Amino acid sequence: MEHITAAQIARAVGGRILCGDGETPVLDICTDSRKAKPGDLYVPILGARVDGHAFIGSAAEQGAAAVFTSQPILAEQSAGGKKPVFIQVEDTLQALQALGGFCRGQLAIPFVGVTGSVGKTSTRAMIAAALSAGFHTFQTEGNANSQVGVPITLSRIHREYEAAVIELGMSEPGEMTRIASIAGLNAAVITNIGISHIEQLGSQAGILREKLHITDGLADGGVLILNGDDELLYPGAQTDWKACQEKYRTLYYGFGDHNTYQAGEAEPEGEGMRFTLCYPGGTLCVHLPVMGEHHVRNALAALACADVFGIPVSDAAAALRDFQGVPHRQERVEFPVLGISVIDDSYNASPDSMRAAFSTLAMTKSRGRKIAVLADMWELGEKTRRYHYETGQALARTDTDVLVTVGELALEIAAGAAKERPDLLIHSFADRSEAARWLEQNREPGDLILFKGSNGMRLFEIVEAWRNKR
């Protein structure tokens, strides 16, 4: 945050100062008392198991300049010897979101919002890279795409930025409306409608309805940019988005010839991809330093955004040649000391993203074996085991040499793969540590190893342990 005081924050969120100097400057926001820094506003969040109010004293001891509180007596008593400015609010989460909306209102720059079941983060990063050809561009850091993360993200966009790309995630009804509304978007991108979070939202139709609420934050005259190859988003689909199409300028991207921004002749090129972009301005050969057809789609969305905001598409395409990817999302890592290569896609997983990872593994050349280390996928609802089984079948149809599964649900991946391809070498382990030991003992020089699973399975820890040996 720039040049803001505790008193200004109180006014912005409809709170009142209980004690402390209202002219105290506030520099940043934190919700974890252990990470509080001098000058922070500490926002205690009421969670399912823990109430952040219990840690106000800890945040104060670490130098927090101000705190929100919906429990003023408890808050003052818990502050200990150091007394930050206490701002009383009715609901700390709602106050945080109001503050995010206030910060957004101070910025007269174009905002792009990105949502979807799969590929939000990679698409967001690629859009930011494309926009950087014309603007000093801010993008969401890490995975701060939630009801808590989005307002904090908005507070960190300083005035020197000329554009912003904001990732918007949701896992429950109503969440997208809240975060999109405070983000104030000029363009909204939907990457796809998959089955991530189907456990909470019931069906793909329910996921579609919630994703479309990104338009609740889209300005009049804004642009809606959709994956035209998605069966629920493509121009002929009989779905809820048609009302949005009537209200907003709608553009499509993908491989089909009905798309406004179409990729033709996509093929691997070295360690990346090459394709021909066909768009209203003509055709252009585009080179990407990352592998996989899904990255071609990401690039199409990025080039569409650049075109919408007046950046020459050729300049945006040139910027994409330097795209570095996102950590733990199909990140290519070389381990010369170990003699192996890794595709670290361990951040998260769904059936759709698993298939995209398999495609990348299949396209990537290897001097030795191709090994897929696959872990449980979470939040897939009542068809969870079926989705895992079908994922195994899909893996078995590739040129993978060895399958390693981690976790109870992933046993279904092993079962599906074994049924589809009985000669595939399969090793199943109950947990990550067992799998790590097997890999330590059995990896060979020249191996190419894919890691993919839900973030909570923490496969990235295996990769990080190997990094320490480089």
Side-chain angles (χ1 to χ4, degrees):
M1 291 187 289
E2 292 183 302
H3 313 299
I4 193 167
T5 67
Q8 290 173 314
I9 291 174
R11 287 194 294 271
V13 305
R16 71 183 184 93
I17 293 179
L18 294 175
C19 64
D21 182 358
E23 295 307 306
T24 299
V26 176
L27 307 177
D28 199 2
I29 301 172
C30 77
T31 58
D32 185 338
S33 63
R34 296 166 296 183
K35 299 179 181 178
K37 309 179 299 296
D40 278 359
L41 166 69
Y42 172 62
V43 180
I45 301 297
L46 178 61
R49 290 173 293 182
V50 177
D51 183 350
H53 284 85
F55 306 101
I56 286 178
S58 173
E61 288 296 327
Q62 295 193 190
V67 299
F68 281 162
T69 175
S70 60
Q71 303 173 19
I73 296 177
L74 171 62
E76 285 201 69
Q77 289 177 343
S78 64
K82 296 186 178 181
K83 289 289 195 292
V85 181
F86 284 101
I87 303 172
Q88 183 178 12
V89 297
E90 203 166 304
D91 182 289
T92 56
L93 178 57
Q94 290 179 11
L96 173 62
Q97 293 169 355
L99 179 56
F102 170 80
C103 293
R104 169 64 181 99
Q106 309 305 302
L107 300 165
I109 61 174
F111 268 64
V112 179
V114 183
T115 194
S117 297
V118 177
K120 291 186 295 295
T121 300
S122 296
T123 304
R124 174 257 294 169
M126 205 170 276
I127 292 172
L131 293 185
S132 70
F135 303 120
H136 181 35
T137 303
F138 175 93
Q139 63 171 309
T140 298
E141 298 175 355
N143 64 336
N145 62 14
S146 65
Q147 294 185 68
V148 173
V150 169
I152 294 176
T153 292
L154 294 171
S155 75
R156 291 175 176 169
I157 306 175
H158 296 159
R159 295 181 188 276
E160 73 264 20
Y161 288 107
E162 299 169 314
V165 187
I166 305 299
E167 183 177 327
L168 304 174
M170 61 89 198
S171 59
E172 61 184 41
E175 191 170 6
M176 182 59 71
T177 291
R178 287 190 286 273
I179 57 178
S181 296
I182 64 173
L185 307 174
N186 304 100
V189 178
I190 304 180
T191 62
N192 47 56
I193 304 299
I195 58 175
S196 298
H197 306 302
I198 200 169
E199 191 170 31
Q200 295 90 335
L201 296 166
S203 65
Q204 278 191 289
I207 294 169
L208 172 63
R209 283 192 297 272
E210 287 303 317
K211 294 294 185 185
L212 286 174
H213 280 296
I214 193 173
T215 60
D216 292 344
L218 191 55
D220 291 341
V223 182
L224 187 59
I225 301 173
L226 304 174
N227 175 358
D229 293 342
D230 187 285
E231 63 180 10
L232 294 178
L233 296 173
Y234 80 103
Q238 301 296 316
T239 55
D240 296 344
W241 65 262
K242 286 196 171 182
C244 299
Q245 183 188 34
E246 295 173 0
K247 186 175 181 181
Y248 304 105
R249 179 186 173 200
T250 307
L251 305 173
Y252 303 92
Y253 65 90
F255 290 92
D257 58 14
H258 57 275
N259 289 293
T260 322
Y261 297 82
Q262 180 194 3
E265 303 173 355
E267 60 184 13
E269 180 183 64
E271 296 296 323
M273 299 291 292
R274 178 188 62 80
F275 67 94
T276 300
L277 169 68
C278 300
Y279 72 112
T283 60
L284 182 70
C285 187
V286 180
H287 302 266
L288 301 176
V290 285
M291 186 71 75
E293 289 189 351
H294 62 291
H295 277 309
V296 173
R297 283 198 178 87
N298 298 345
L300 291 171
L303 295 168
C305 286
D307 199 22
V308 163
F309 291 112
I311 298 172
V313 174
S314 57
D315 292 353
L320 292 183
R321 297 193 73 148
D322 297 323
F323 179 71
Q324 296 299 308
V326 181
H328 307 308
R329 292 168 174 86
Q330 293 208 7
E331 179 186 12
R332 183 69 181 268
V333 188
E334 301 294 334
F335 295 90
V337 172
L338 304 179
I340 62 173
S341 300
V342 163
I343 300 173
D344 179 4
D345 201 13
S346 59
Y347 179 76
N348 223 334
S350 69
D352 291 333
S353 66
M354 281 279 193
R355 285 171 171 78
F358 301 162
S359 175
T360 299
L361 182 62
M363 289 182 179
T364 305
K365 295 180 180 179
S366 172
R367 295 183 293 108
R369 300 174 301 173
K370 291 185 178 181
I371 301 174
V373 182
L374 308 180
D376 294 355
M377 298 178 284
W378 296 354
E379 299 183 344
L380 297 181
E382 61 184 17
K383 297 180 181 178
T384 289
R385 294 191 177 278
R386 170 185 159 187
Y387 291 138
H388 282 79
Y389 188 89
E390 291 174 348
T391 296
Q393 290 179 306
L395 183 280
R397 298 184 191 113
T398 71
D399 62 348
T400 301
D401 299 294
V402 182
L403 169 62
V404 175
T405 70
V406 183
E408 180 183 355
L409 293 172
L411 289 173
E412 292 294 330
I413 297 177
K419 178 67 173 178
E420 186 74 18
R421 195 170 126 201
D423 63 334
L424 179 64
L425 294 176
I426 301 174
H427 302 274
S428 296
F429 301 98
D431 57 41
R432 180 182 65 257
S433 60
E434 291 181 7
R437 281 194 294 272
W438 184 89
L439 289 165
E440 192 75 27
Q441 295 166 3
N442 292 278
R443 66 178 179 235
E444 299 174 0
D447 284 348
L448 173 64
I449 307 176
L450 166 70
F451 289 90
K452 183 74 174 169
S454 281
N455 193 44
M457 298 301 291
R458 303 182 70 82
L459 291 182
F460 60 84
E461 291 189 359
I462 300 176
V463 183
E464 293 305 315
W466 291 354
R467 286 183 197 268
N468 295 332
K469 296 180 180 181
R470 289 199 296 183

